Amino acid sequence: MAAYLIADVDIKDAAVFEEYRRDVPATEERYGGRYLGRGGATKVLEGDWEPHRLVIIEFPDMTSLMGWYNSPEYARLIEIRKRCASTRIIALEGIAAPAV
């Protein structure tokens, strides 16, 4: 069943973040990741959440998501991201599609 990485990224240094943004898609693709949304306009419907740059990435399953997140190629990018942004990230397991 699909798994989703949801991140709220508060960019502090756009120039450094550009390197992260440029290099991260290739690492995700190796694990079956695909963007469902990133950096678009948001509208809070309830609560006091003030999102920054939201990103939603779908992976085939939680194993693939965690494989990417813990991979050596992404580890280098995590360090870059931590230097230029504050981030909240969660992994959400989807639900199985009903049998037809």
Side-chain angles (χ1 to χ4, degrees):
M1 99 183 49
Y4 304 91
L5 179 128
I6 303 169
D8 183 4
V9 184
D10 185 6
I11 300 167
K12 307 295 185 189
D13 185 331
V16 175
F17 187 78
E18 181 58 27
E19 180 181 357
Y20 174 85
R21 191 197 63 73
R22 181 191 67 226
D23 293 349
V24 77
T27 66
E28 296 160 347
E29 289 169 5
R30 290 182 202 141
Y31 293 85
R34 70 182 186 104
Y35 287 99
L36 297 181
R38 72 175 162 180
T42 60
K43 182 172 180 101
V44 175
L45 302 179
E46 293 186 27
D48 59 0
W49 186 19
E50 293 183 34
H52 300 91
R53 176 184 168 83
L54 289 181
V55 178
I56 303 172
I57 307 166
E58 179 183 49
F59 287 86
D61 49 45
M62 189 63 78
T63 300
S64 299
L65 187 158
M66 295 308 298
W68 165 73
Y69 186 80
N70 293 312
S71 69
E73 58 266 11
Y74 187 55
R76 176 185 74 81
L77 297 174
I78 288 173
E79 293 307 312
I80 293 169
R81 179 176 44 77
K82 287 182 176 181
R83 286 197 324 260
C84 65
S86 297
T87 310
R88 288 188 261 170
I89 301 174
I90 63 167
L92 169 67
E93 191 167 56
I95 57 172
V100 191

